[in-house]
Coordinates of all heavy atoms in Angstrom, one line a residue:
M1 N -14.1 22.6 10.3 CA -13.4 22.9 9.1 C -12.2 21.9 9.0 O -11.6 21.6 10.0 CB -12.9 24.4 9.2 CG -12.2 24.8 8.0 SD -11.9 26.5 8.1 CE -12.5 27.0 6.5
T2 N -11.9 21.5 7.8 CA -10.9 20.5 7.6 C -9.6 21.3 7.4 O -9.5 22.4 7.1 CB -11.2 19.7 6.3 OG1 -11.2 20.6 5.2 CG2 -12.5 18.9 6.4
D3 N -8.5 20.5 7.8 CA -7.1 21.0 7.6 C -6.8 21.0 6.1 O -6.9 20.0 5.5 CB -6.2 20.1 8.4 CG -4.8 20.7 8.6 OD1 -4.6 21.8 8.1 OD2 -4.0 20.0 9.2
T4 N -6.3 22.2 5.6 CA -6.0 22.3 4.2 C -4.5 22.0 3.9 O -4.0 22.4 2.8 CB -6.4 23.7 3.7 OG1 -5.7 24.7 4.5 CG2 -7.9 23.8 3.8
R5 N -3.8 21.5 4.8 CA -2.3 21.3 4.6 C -2.2 20.2 3.5 O -3.1 19.4 3.3 CB -1.6 20.8 5.9 CG -1.5 21.9 6.9 CD -0.8 21.3 8.1 NE -0.9 22.2 9.2 CZ -0.7 21.9 10.4 NH1 -0.4 20.7 10.8 NH2 -1.0 22.7 11.4
D6 N -1.1 20.2 2.9 CA -0.8 19.2 1.9 C -0.6 17.9 2.5 O 0.3 17.7 3.3 CB 0.5 19.7 1.1 CG 0.7 18.7 -0.1 OD1 -0.1 17.9 -0.4 OD2 1.8 18.9 -0.7
M7 N -1.5 16.9 2.2 CA -1.4 15.6 2.9 C -0.3 14.7 2.2 O 0.0 13.6 2.8 CB -2.7 14.9 2.8 CG -3.8 15.6 3.5 SD -3.3 15.9 5.2 CE -4.7 15.3 6.1
A8 N 0.3 15.1 1.2 CA 1.4 14.3 0.6 C 2.7 14.4 1.5 O 3.5 13.5 1.4 CB 1.7 14.9 -0.8
H9 N 2.8 15.4 2.2 CA 4.0 15.6 3.1 C 3.6 15.3 4.6 O 2.8 16.0 5.1 CB 4.5 17.0 3.0 CG 5.0 17.3 1.6 ND1 6.0 16.7 1.0 CD2 4.4 18.2 0.7 CE1 6.2 17.2 -0.3 NE2 5.2 18.1 -0.5
P10 N 4.2 14.3 5.2 CA 3.8 14.0 6.5 C 4.3 15.1 7.5 O 5.3 15.8 7.2 CB 4.5 12.6 6.8 CG 5.6 12.5 5.8 CD 5.1 13.3 4.6
R11 N 3.7 15.2 8.6 CA 4.1 16.1 9.6 C 5.4 15.6 10.2 O 5.7 14.5 10.3 CB 3.0 16.3 10.7 CG 1.7 16.8 10.1 CD 0.7 16.9 11.2 NE -0.5 17.5 10.6 CZ -1.7 17.2 11.2 NH1 -1.8 16.5 12.3 NH2 -2.8 17.7 10.6
A12 N 6.1 16.5 10.9 CA 7.3 16.2 11.6 C 7.1 15.2 12.7 O 7.8 14.3 13.0 CB 8.0 17.4 12.1
E13 N 5.9 15.4 13.4 CA 5.6 14.4 14.6 C 5.4 13.0 14.0 O 5.8 12.0 14.7 CB 4.4 14.9 15.3 CG 4.4 16.3 15.9 CD 3.9 17.4 14.9 OE1 3.1 17.1 14.1 OE2 4.5 18.5 15.0
D14 N 4.8 12.9 12.9 CA 4.5 11.6 12.3 C 5.8 10.9 11.9 O 6.1 9.7 12.1 CB 3.6 11.7 11.1 CG 2.2 12.2 11.5 OD1 1.8 12.0 12.6 OD2 1.4 12.6 10.6
A15 N 6.7 11.7 11.3 CA 8.1 11.2 10.9 C 8.8 10.7 12.1 O 9.5 9.7 12.1 CB 8.8 12.3 10.2
V16 N 8.8 11.4 13.2 CA 9.5 11.0 14.4 C 8.9 9.8 15.0 O 9.6 8.8 15.4 CB 9.5 12.2 15.5 CG1 10.0 11.7 16.8 CG2 10.3 13.3 15.0
G17 N 7.5 9.7 15.0 CA 6.9 8.5 15.4 C 7.2 7.3 14.6 O 7.4 6.1 15.1
N18 N 7.3 7.5 13.3 CA 7.7 6.4 12.4 C 9.1 5.9 12.7 O 9.4 4.7 12.6 CB 7.5 6.8 10.9 CG 6.1 6.9 10.5 OD1 5.2 6.3 11.1 ND2 5.8 7.6 9.5
R19 N 10.0 6.9 12.9 CA 11.4 6.5 13.2 C 11.4 5.7 14.4 O 12.2 4.7 14.6 CB 12.3 7.7 13.3 CG 12.7 8.3 12.0 CD 13.8 9.3 12.1 NE 13.6 10.3 11.1 CZ 13.6 11.6 11.2 NH1 13.7 12.2 12.4 NH2 13.5 12.4 10.1
R20 N 10.7 6.1 15.4 CA 10.8 5.3 16.7 C 10.2 3.9 16.5 O 10.7 2.9 17.1 CB 9.9 6.1 17.7 CG 10.5 7.3 18.3 CD 9.7 7.9 19.4 NE 10.3 9.1 19.9 CZ 9.6 10.1 20.4 NH1 8.3 10.0 20.5 NH2 10.2 11.2 20.8
Q21 N 9.1 3.9 15.7 CA 8.5 2.5 15.5 C 9.5 1.6 14.7 O 9.6 0.5 15.0 CB 7.2 2.7 14.7 CG 6.4 1.5 14.7 CD 5.0 1.8 14.2 OE1 4.7 2.8 13.6 NE2 4.1 0.9 14.4
L22 N 10.2 2.3 13.8 CA 11.1 1.5 13.0 C 12.3 1.0 13.9 O 12.8 -0.1 13.7 CB 11.7 2.3 11.8 CG 10.9 2.3 10.6 CD1 11.4 3.3 9.5 CD2 10.6 1.0 10.0
R23 N 12.8 1.8 14.8 CA 13.8 1.4 15.7 C 13.4 0.3 16.5 O 14.1 -0.7 16.8 CB 14.2 2.6 16.6 CG 15.2 3.5 15.9 CD 15.8 4.5 16.9 NE 16.1 5.7 16.3 CZ 15.7 6.9 16.7 NH1 15.1 7.1 17.8 NH2 16.0 8.0 16.0
R24 N 12.1 0.4 17.0 CA 11.6 -0.8 17.8 C 11.6 -2.1 17.0 O 11.9 -3.1 17.5 CB 10.2 -0.4 18.3 CG 10.2 0.6 19.4 CD 8.8 0.9 19.9 NE 8.4 -0.2 20.7 CZ 7.2 -0.4 21.1 NH1 6.2 0.5 20.9 NH2 6.8 -1.4 21.8
V25 N 11.1 -2.0 15.7 CA 11.1 -3.1 14.9 C 12.5 -3.7 14.7 O 12.7 -4.9 14.8 CB 10.4 -2.8 13.5 CG1 10.6 -3.9 12.5 CG2 8.9 -2.5 13.8
Y26 N 13.5 -2.8 14.4 CA 14.8 -3.2 14.1 C 15.4 -3.9 15.4 O 16.1 -4.9 15.3 CB 15.7 -2.1 13.8 CG 15.5 -1.5 12.4 CD1 15.6 -0.2 12.2 CD2 15.0 -2.3 11.4 CE1 15.4 0.3 10.9 CE2 14.7 -1.8 10.1 CZ 15.0 -0.5 9.9 OH 14.7 0.0 8.6
F27 N 15.1 -3.3 16.6 CA 15.6 -3.9 17.8 C 14.9 -5.2 18.1 O 15.7 -6.2 18.5 CB 15.4 -2.9 18.9 CG 16.0 -3.3 20.2 CD1 17.3 -3.3 20.4 CD2 15.2 -3.7 21.3 CE1 17.9 -3.7 21.6 CE2 15.7 -4.2 22.5 CZ 17.1 -4.2 22.6
A28 N 13.7 -5.3 17.9 CA 13.0 -6.6 18.1 C 13.6 -7.7 17.2 O 13.8 -8.9 17.6 CB 11.5 -6.5 18.0
S29 N 13.8 -7.3 16.0 CA 14.3 -8.3 15.0 C 15.7 -8.7 15.3 O 16.2 -9.9 15.2 CB 14.4 -7.7 13.6 OG 13.1 -7.3 13.1
L30 N 16.5 -7.7 15.9 CA 17.9 -8.1 16.3 C 17.8 -9.0 17.5 O 18.6 -10.1 17.5 CB 18.6 -6.8 16.7 CG 20.0 -7.0 17.3 CD1 21.0 -7.4 16.3 CD2 20.5 -5.7 18.0
I31 N 17.0 -8.8 18.4 CA 16.9 -9.7 19.6 C 16.4 -11.1 19.2 O 17.0 -12.1 19.6 CB 15.9 -9.1 20.7 CG1 16.5 -7.8 21.2 CG2 15.6 -10.1 21.7 CD1 17.8 -8.0 21.9
G32 N 15.4 -11.2 18.3 CA 14.9 -12.4 17.8 C 15.9 -13.3 17.1 O 16.1 -14.4 17.3
T33 N 16.7 -12.6 16.2 CA 17.8 -13.2 15.4 C 18.9 -13.7 16.3 O 19.4 -14.8 16.2 CB 18.3 -12.3 14.4 OG1 17.2 -11.8 13.6 CG2 19.3 -12.9 13.5
T34 N 19.2 -12.8 17.3 CA 20.3 -13.3 18.2 C 19.9 -14.5 19.0 O 20.7 -15.4 19.2 CB 20.6 -12.1 19.2 OG1 21.0 -10.9 18.4 CG2 21.7 -12.4 20.1
V35 N 18.7 -14.5 19.5 CA 18.3 -15.7 20.3 C 18.2 -16.9 19.5 O 18.7 -18.0 19.9 CB 16.8 -15.4 20.9 CG1 16.2 -16.7 21.5 CG2 17.0 -14.3 22.0
E36 N 17.7 -16.8 18.2 CA 17.7 -18.0 17.4 C 19.1 -18.4 17.0 O 19.4 -19.6 17.0 CB 16.9 -17.6 16.0 CG 16.7 -18.9 15.2 CD 15.8 -18.5 14.0 OE1 15.5 -17.4 13.8 OE2 15.5 -19.5 13.3
F37 N 20.0 -17.5 16.8 CA 21.4 -17.9 16.4 C 22.0 -18.6 17.7 O 22.7 -19.6 17.5 CB 22.2 -16.6 16.1 CG 23.6 -16.9 15.8 CD1 24.0 -17.5 14.6 CD2 24.7 -16.6 16.7 CE1 25.4 -17.7 14.3 CE2 26.0 -16.7 16.4 CZ 26.3 -17.4 15.2
Y38 N 21.8 -18.0 18.9 CA 22.3 -18.6 20.1 C 21.8 -20.0 20.3 O 22.5 -21.0 20.6 CB 22.0 -17.8 21.3 CG 22.4 -18.3 22.6 CD1 23.7 -18.3 23.0 CD2 21.5 -18.9 23.5 CE1 24.2 -18.8 24.2 CE2 21.9 -19.4 24.7 CZ 23.2 -19.4 25.0 OH 23.6 -19.9 26.2
D39 N 20.5 -20.3 20.0 CA 19.9 -21.5 20.1 C 20.5 -22.5 19.1 O 20.9 -23.7 19.6 CB 18.4 -21.4 19.7 CG 17.7 -22.7 19.7 OD1 17.9 -23.5 20.7 OD2 16.8 -23.0 18.8
F40 N 20.8 -22.1 17.9 CA 21.4 -23.1 17.0 C 22.9 -23.3 17.4 O 23.4 -24.5 17.2 CB 21.3 -22.6 15.6 CG 20.1 -23.0 14.9 CD1 19.1 -22.1 14.5 CD2 19.8 -24.4 14.6 CE1 18.0 -22.5 13.9 CE2 18.7 -24.8 14.1 CZ 17.7 -23.9 13.7
I41 N 23.6 -22.4 17.9 CA 25.0 -22.6 18.3 C 25.1 -23.6 19.5 O 25.8 -24.5 19.5 CB 25.7 -21.2 18.7 CG1 25.9 -20.4 17.4 CG2 27.0 -21.4 19.4 CD1 26.8 -21.0 16.4
V42 N 24.2 -23.3 20.5 CA 24.2 -24.2 21.6 C 23.8 -25.6 21.2 O 24.4 -26.6 21.6 CB 23.3 -23.7 22.7 CG1 23.0 -24.7 23.8 CG2 23.8 -22.4 23.3
F43 N 22.8 -25.7 20.4 CA 22.3 -27.1 19.9 C 23.4 -27.7 19.1 O 23.6 -29.0 19.2 CB 21.0 -26.9 19.1 CG 20.4 -28.3 18.9 CD1 19.5 -28.8 19.8 CD2 20.6 -29.0 17.7 CE1 18.9 -30.0 19.6 CE2 20.0 -30.2 17.5 CZ 19.1 -30.7 18.5
G44 N 24.1 -27.0 18.3 CA 25.2 -27.6 17.4 C 26.4 -28.0 18.3 O 27.0 -29.1 18.1
V45 N 26.7 -27.3 19.3 CA 27.8 -27.7 20.2 C 27.3 -28.9 21.0 O 28.1 -29.9 21.2 CB 28.2 -26.6 21.2 CG1 29.1 -27.0 22.3 CG2 28.9 -25.4 20.4
A46 N 26.1 -28.9 21.5 CA 25.6 -30.1 22.2 C 25.5 -31.3 21.3 O 25.8 -32.4 21.7 CB 24.3 -29.8 22.8
A47 N 25.2 -31.1 20.0 CA 25.2 -32.2 19.1 C 26.5 -32.9 18.9 O 26.6 -34.1 18.8 CB 24.5 -31.8 17.8
S48 N 27.5 -32.0 18.8 CA 28.9 -32.5 18.6 C 29.5 -33.2 19.8 O 30.3 -34.1 19.7 CB 29.7 -31.4 18.0 OG 29.9 -30.4 19.0
L49 N 29.2 -32.7 21.0 CA 29.8 -33.1 22.2 C 29.0 -34.1 23.0 O 29.6 -35.0 23.7 CB 30.2 -32.0 23.1 CG 31.2 -30.9 22.4 CD1 31.4 -29.8 23.4 CD2 32.5 -31.6 22.1
V50 N 27.7 -34.0 23.1 CA 26.9 -34.7 24.1 C 25.9 -35.7 23.5 O 25.8 -36.8 23.9 CB 26.2 -33.7 25.1 CG1 25.3 -34.4 26.0 CG2 27.2 -32.8 25.7
F51 N 25.2 -35.2 22.5 CA 24.0 -36.0 22.0 C 24.3 -37.3 21.5 O 23.6 -38.3 21.7 CB 23.2 -35.2 21.0 CG 22.5 -34.0 21.5 CD1 22.0 -33.1 20.6 CD2 22.3 -33.8 22.9 CE1 21.3 -31.9 21.1 CE2 21.7 -32.7 23.4 CZ 21.2 -31.7 22.4
G52 N 25.4 -37.5 20.8 CA 25.9 -38.8 20.3 C 26.1 -39.8 21.4 O 25.7 -41.0 21.3
Q53 N 26.7 -39.4 22.5 CA 26.9 -40.3 23.6 C 25.7 -40.5 24.4 O 25.5 -41.6 24.9 CB 28.0 -39.7 24.5 CG 29.3 -39.5 23.8 CD 30.3 -38.7 24.6 OE1 29.9 -38.2 25.7 NE2 31.5 -38.5 24.2
V54 N 24.8 -39.6 24.6 CA 23.6 -39.7 25.4 C 22.5 -40.5 24.6 O 21.9 -41.4 25.2 CB 23.1 -38.4 25.9 CG1 21.8 -38.5 26.7 CG2 24.2 -37.8 26.8
F55 N 22.1 -40.0 23.4 CA 21.1 -40.6 22.7 C 21.3 -41.7 21.8 O 20.4 -42.5 21.5 CB 20.3 -39.5 21.9 CG 19.7 -38.4 22.8 CD1 20.3 -37.2 22.9 CD2 18.6 -38.7 23.6 CE1 19.8 -36.2 23.7 CE2 18.1 -37.7 24.4 CZ 18.7 -36.4 24.5
F56 N 22.6 -41.9 21.4 CA 22.9 -43.0 20.5 C 24.1 -43.8 21.1 O 25.1 -44.1 20.5 CB 23.3 -42.4 19.1 CG 22.3 -41.6 18.5 CD1 22.5 -40.2 18.5 CD2 21.2 -42.1 18.0 CE1 21.5 -39.4 17.9 CE2 20.2 -41.3 17.4 CZ 20.4 -39.9 17.4
E57 N 23.9 -44.2 22.3 CA 25.0 -44.9 23.0 C 25.2 -46.3 22.5 O 26.3 -46.9 22.7 CB 24.8 -44.9 24.5 CG 23.4 -45.6 24.9 CD 23.1 -45.4 26.4 OE1 23.5 -44.4 26.9 OE2 22.5 -46.3 27.0
S58 N 24.2 -46.9 21.8 CA 24.4 -48.3 21.3 C 25.1 -48.3 20.0 O 25.5 -49.4 19.5 CB 23.0 -48.9 21.1 OG 22.3 -48.2 20.1
T59 N 25.4 -47.1 19.4 CA 26.2 -47.1 18.1 C 27.6 -46.6 18.5 O 27.9 -46.3 19.6 CB 25.6 -46.1 17.2 OG1 25.6 -44.8 17.7 CG2 24.1 -46.4 16.8
S60 N 28.4 -46.6 17.4 CA 29.8 -46.2 17.6 C 29.8 -44.6 17.9 O 28.8 -44.0 17.6 CB 30.7 -46.5 16.4 OG 30.2 -45.8 15.3
E61 N 30.9 -44.1 18.4 CA 30.9 -42.7 18.7 C 30.8 -41.8 17.5 O 30.2 -40.8 17.5 CB 32.2 -42.4 19.4 CG 32.4 -41.0 20.0 CD 33.6 -40.8 20.8 OE1 34.1 -41.8 21.4 OE2 34.1 -39.7 20.9
S62 N 31.5 -42.2 16.4 CA 31.5 -41.4 15.2 C 30.0 -41.4 14.5 O 29.6 -40.4 14.1 CB 32.5 -41.9 14.2 OG 32.3 -43.2 13.8
L63 N 29.4 -42.6 14.6 CA 28.0 -42.7 14.0 C 27.1 -41.9 14.8 O 26.1 -41.3 14.3 CB 27.6 -44.2 13.8 CG 26.2 -44.4 13.3 CD1 26.2 -43.8 11.8 CD2 25.9 -45.9 13.3
G64 N 27.2 -42.0 16.1 CA 26.4 -41.2 17.0 C 26.5 -39.7 16.8 O 25.5 -38.9 16.8
T65 N 27.7 -39.2 16.5 CA 27.9 -37.8 16.2 C 27.2 -37.4 14.9 O 26.6 -36.4 14.7 CB 29.4 -37.5 16.2 OG1 30.0 -37.8 17.5 CG2 29.7 -36.0 15.9
I66 N 27.4 -38.3 13.9 CA 26.8 -38.1 12.6 C 25.3 -38.0 12.7 O 24.6 -37.2 12.1 CB 27.2 -39.2 11.6 CG1 28.7 -39.0 11.3 CG2 26.4 -39.1 10.3 CD1 29.3 -40.1 10.4
L67 N 24.7 -39.0 13.5 CA 23.3 -38.9 13.7 C 22.8 -37.7 14.4 O 21.8 -37.1 14.2 CB 22.8 -40.2 14.5 CG 22.9 -41.5 13.6 CD1 22.7 -42.7 14.6 CD2 22.0 -41.5 12.5
S68 N 23.6 -37.2 15.4 CA 23.3 -36.0 16.1 C 23.3 -34.8 15.1 O 22.4 -33.9 15.2 CB 24.3 -35.7 17.2 OG 24.3 -36.7 18.1
F69 N 24.3 -34.7 14.2 CA 24.3 -33.6 13.2 C 23.2 -33.8 12.3 O 22.7 -32.7 11.7 CB 25.6 -33.6 12.6 CG 26.7 -32.9 13.4 CD1 27.9 -33.5 13.7 CD2 26.5 -31.6 13.9 CE1 28.9 -32.9 14.4 CE2 27.4 -30.9 14.6 CZ 28.6 -31.6 14.9
A70 N 22.8 -35.0 12.0 CA 21.6 -35.2 11.1 C 20.3 -34.6 11.8 O 19.5 -34.0 11.1 CB 21.4 -36.7 10.8
I71 N 20.2 -34.8 13.0 CA 19.0 -34.2 13.7 C 19.1 -32.7 13.7 O 18.1 -32.1 13.5 CB 19.0 -34.8 15.1 CG1 18.6 -36.3 15.1 CG2 17.9 -34.0 16.0 CD1 18.6 -37.0 16.4
L72 N 20.3 -32.2 13.9 CA 20.5 -30.7 13.8 C 20.1 -30.2 12.4 O 19.4 -29.2 12.3 CB 22.0 -30.3 14.1 CG 22.3 -28.9 14.0 CD1 21.7 -28.0 15.0 CD2 23.8 -28.7 14.0
A73 N 20.5 -30.9 11.4 CA 20.1 -30.5 10.0 C 18.6 -30.6 9.8 O 18.0 -29.7 9.1 CB 20.8 -31.4 9.0
I74 N 17.9 -31.6 10.3 CA 16.5 -31.7 10.2 C 15.8 -30.6 10.9 O 14.9 -29.9 10.3 CB 16.0 -33.1 10.7 CG1 16.5 -34.2 9.7 CG2 14.5 -33.1 10.9 CD1 16.3 -35.6 10.4
G75 N 16.3 -30.2 12.1 CA 15.7 -29.1 12.8 C 16.0 -27.8 12.1 O 15.1 -26.9 12.1
Y76 N 17.1 -27.7 11.5 CA 17.4 -26.5 10.7 C 16.6 -26.2 9.5 O 16.1 -25.1 9.2 CB 18.9 -26.5 10.3 CG 19.5 -25.2 9.8 CD1 19.8 -24.2 10.7 CD2 19.6 -25.0 8.4 CE1 20.3 -22.9 10.2 CE2 20.1 -23.8 7.9 CZ 20.5 -22.8 8.8 OH 21.0 -21.6 8.4
A77 N 16.2 -27.4 8.8 CA 15.3 -27.3 7.7 C 13.9 -27.2 8.1 O 13.1 -26.6 7.4 CB 15.5 -28.6 6.9
A78 N 13.5 -27.7 9.2 CA 12.1 -27.8 9.6 C 11.6 -26.4 10.1 O 10.4 -26.1 10.0 CB 11.9 -28.7 10.8
R79 N 12.5 -25.5 10.6 CA 12.0 -24.2 11.1 C 11.4 -23.4 10.0 O 10.3 -22.8 10.1 CB 13.1 -23.5 11.8 CG 13.3 -23.9 13.2 CD 14.1 -23.0 14.0 NE 14.3 -23.5 15.3 CZ 14.9 -22.8 16.3 NH1 15.4 -21.7 16.0 NH2 14.9 -23.4 17.4
P80 N 12.1 -23.1 8.8 CA 11.5 -22.3 7.8 C 10.2 -23.0 7.2 O 9.2 -22.3 6.9 CB 12.5 -22.1 6.8 CG 13.7 -22.7 7.3 CD 13.5 -23.4 8.5
L81 N 10.3 -24.3 7.1 CA 9.1 -25.0 6.5 C 7.9 -24.8 7.5 O 6.7 -24.6 7.0 CB 9.4 -26.4 6.3 CG 10.4 -26.8 5.2 CD1 10.7 -28.2 5.1 CD2 9.8 -26.2 3.8
G82 N 8.2 -25.0 8.8 CA 7.1 -24.8 9.7 C 6.6 -23.4 9.8 O 5.4 -23.2 9.9
G83 N 7.5 -22.4 9.6 CA 7.0 -21.0 9.5 C 6.2 -20.8 8.3 O 5.2 -20.0 8.4
I84 N 6.5 -21.3 7.1 CA 5.7 -21.2 6.0 C 4.3 -21.8 6.1 O 3.3 -21.2 5.8 CB 6.4 -21.8 4.8 CG1 7.6 -20.9 4.4 CG2 5.5 -21.9 3.5 CD1 8.6 -21.6 3.4
I85 N 4.3 -23.1 6.6 CA 3.0 -23.8 6.8 C 2.1 -23.1 7.8 O 1.0 -22.8 7.5 CB 3.3 -25.3 7.1 CG1 4.0 -26.0 5.9 CG2 2.0 -26.0 7.5 CD1 4.5 -27.3 6.2
F86 N 2.7 -22.9 9.1 CA 1.8 -22.4 10.1 C 1.5 -20.9 9.8 O 0.5 -20.4 10.3 CB 2.5 -22.6 11.4 CG 2.4 -24.0 11.9 CD1 3.6 -24.7 12.0 CD2 1.3 -24.6 12.1 CE1 3.5 -26.1 12.4 CE2 1.2 -25.9 12.6 CZ 2.4 -26.7 12.7
G87 N 2.4 -20.2 9.1 CA 2.1 -18.8 8.7 C 1.0 -18.7 7.8 O 0.1 -17.8 7.9
H88 N 0.9 -19.7 6.9 CA -0.2 -19.7 5.9 C -1.6 -19.9 6.7 O -2.5 -19.2 6.4 CB 0.0 -20.9 4.9 CG -1.2 -21.1 4.0 ND1 -1.6 -20.3 3.0 CD2 -2.1 -22.1 4.0 CE1 -2.7 -20.7 2.4 NE2 -3.0 -21.9 3.1
F89 N -1.6 -20.9 7.6 CA -2.8 -21.2 8.3 C -3.1 -20.0 9.3 O -4.3 -19.7 9.4 CB -2.7 -22.5 9.1 CG -2.8 -23.7 8.1 CD1 -1.7 -24.5 8.1 CD2 -3.9 -23.9 7.3 CE1 -1.8 -25.6 7.3 CE2 -3.9 -25.0 6.5 CZ -2.9 -25.9 6.4
G90 N -2.1 -19.4 9.9 CA -2.3 -18.4 10.8 C -2.9 -17.1 10.1 O -3.8 -16.4 10.6
T91 N -2.4 -16.8 8.9 CA -2.9 -15.7 8.2 C -4.4 -15.9 7.8 O -5.1 -15.0 7.9 CB -2.0 -15.5 6.9 OG1 -0.7 -15.2 7.4 CG2 -2.5 -14.3 6.1
G92 N -4.7 -17.1 7.4 CA -6.1 -17.4 7.0 C -7.0 -17.3 8.2 O -8.1 -16.8 8.1
W93 N -6.5 -17.8 9.3 CA -7.3 -17.8 10.5 C -7.6 -16.3 11.0 O -8.7 -15.9 11.3 CB -6.7 -18.5 11.6 CG -7.4 -18.5 12.9 CD1 -8.5 -19.2 13.3 CD2 -7.0 -17.7 14.1 NE1 -8.9 -18.9 14.6 CE2 -8.0 -18.0 15.1 CE3 -6.0 -16.8 14.4 CZ2 -7.9 -17.4 16.3 CZ3 -6.0 -16.2 15.6 CH2 -7.0 -16.5 16.6
A94 N -6.5 -15.5 10.9 CA -6.6 -14.1 11.3 C -7.5 -13.3 10.4 O -8.4 -12.5 10.8 CB -5.3 -13.4 11.4
A95 N -7.5 -13.6 9.1 CA -8.3 -13.0 8.1 C -9.8 -13.3 8.3 O -10.7 -12.5 8.2 CB -7.8 -13.2 6.7
S96 N -10.1 -14.6 8.6 CA -11.4 -15.0 8.8 C -12.0 -14.4 10.1 O -13.1 -14.0 10.1 CB -11.5 -16.5 8.8 OG -10.9 -17.0 10.0
R97 N -11.2 -14.3 11.1 CA -11.7 -13.6 12.3 C -12.0 -12.1 12.1 O -12.9 -11.5 12.7 CB -10.7 -13.8 13.4 CG -10.6 -15.2 14.0 CD -9.7 -15.4 15.1 NE -10.1 -14.5 16.3 CZ -10.9 -14.9 17.2 NH1 -11.5 -16.0 17.2 NH2 -11.1 -14.0 18.2
R98 N -11.1 -11.5 11.3 CA -11.3 -10.1 11.0 C -12.5 -9.8 10.2 O -13.3 -8.9 10.4 CB -10.1 -9.5 10.3 CG -9.7 -8.1 10.6 CD -8.5 -7.7 9.9 NE -8.0 -8.6 8.9 CZ -6.8 -9.0 8.8 NH1 -5.9 -8.6 9.5 NH2 -6.4 -9.9 7.8
C99 N -12.7 -10.6 9.2 CA -13.8 -10.5 8.2 C -15.2 -10.9 8.8 O -16.2 -10.3 8.6 CB -13.6 -11.2 6.9 SG -12.2 -10.6 6.0
C100 N -15.2 -11.9 9.7 CA -16.5 -12.4 10.2 C -16.8 -11.8 11.5 O -17.9 -12.0 12.0 CB -16.4 -13.9 10.3 SG -16.1 -14.8 8.8
G101 N -16.0 -11.0 12.0 CA -16.3 -10.3 13.3 C -16.4 -11.2 14.5 O -17.1 -10.9 15.4
R102 N -15.6 -12.3 14.5 CA -15.6 -13.2 15.7 C -14.8 -12.7 16.8 O -13.9 -12.0 16.7 CB -15.1 -14.6 15.3 CG -16.1 -15.2 14.4 CD -15.6 -16.7 14.2 NE -16.2 -17.1 12.9 CZ -15.7 -18.2 12.3 NH1 -14.7 -18.8 12.8 NH2 -16.2 -18.5 11.2

């Protein structure tokens, strides 16, 4: 026999499970954002203090710093573009595996 409860209202256990799952998602997002922010801060500090002298030693100190910040800007722009491009291909690959049963 089927359950005749109103299916429009979720059970209390389902709501608690959804809250737990949402907390896990929020926490994972927080950790990922924190790590990415830390990565950019460390790279920015290293670009301003170290990279100009190490990688562009044949140029002047100020030009080396400018080139280091240019590399930081390129990396900052490349992340979202890479996410869009590889996300597109990854979604297509996952959908084809799901539909074709591979």
Side-chain angles (χ1 to χ4, degrees):
M1 182 170 228
T2 61
D3 192 2
T4 58
R5 292 183 195 160
D6 186 10
M7 293 308 227
H9 301 290
R11 296 181 184 154
E13 301 89 32
D14 294 339
V16 170
N18 286 340
R19 281 192 208 131
R20 284 184 186 152
Q21 195 170 15
L22 279 175
R23 278 192 213 131
R24 290 182 69 189
V25 169
Y26 291 148
F27 186 70
S29 298
L30 174 72
I31 295 297
T33 303
T34 303
V35 168
E36 186 173 8
F37 180 73
Y38 177 76
D39 176 42
F40 273 116
I41 291 296
V42 169
F43 194 84
V45 169
S48 65
L49 299 176
V50 178
F51 290 167
Q53 297 168 357
V54 173
F55 295 110
F56 304 108
E57 59 189 33
S58 62
T59 63
S60 67
E61 188 175 330
S62 60
L63 181 61
T65 303
I66 291 170
L67 291 173
S68 297
F69 280 124
I71 291 173
L72 176 67
I74 290 169
Y76 192 77
R79 279 197 179 181
L81 292 176
I84 291 168
I85 293 168
F86 289 113
H88 170 74
F89 288 120
T91 301
W93 177 77
S96 69
R97 290 185 56 88
R98 211 178 13 227
C99 294
C100 298
R102 291 186 205 165

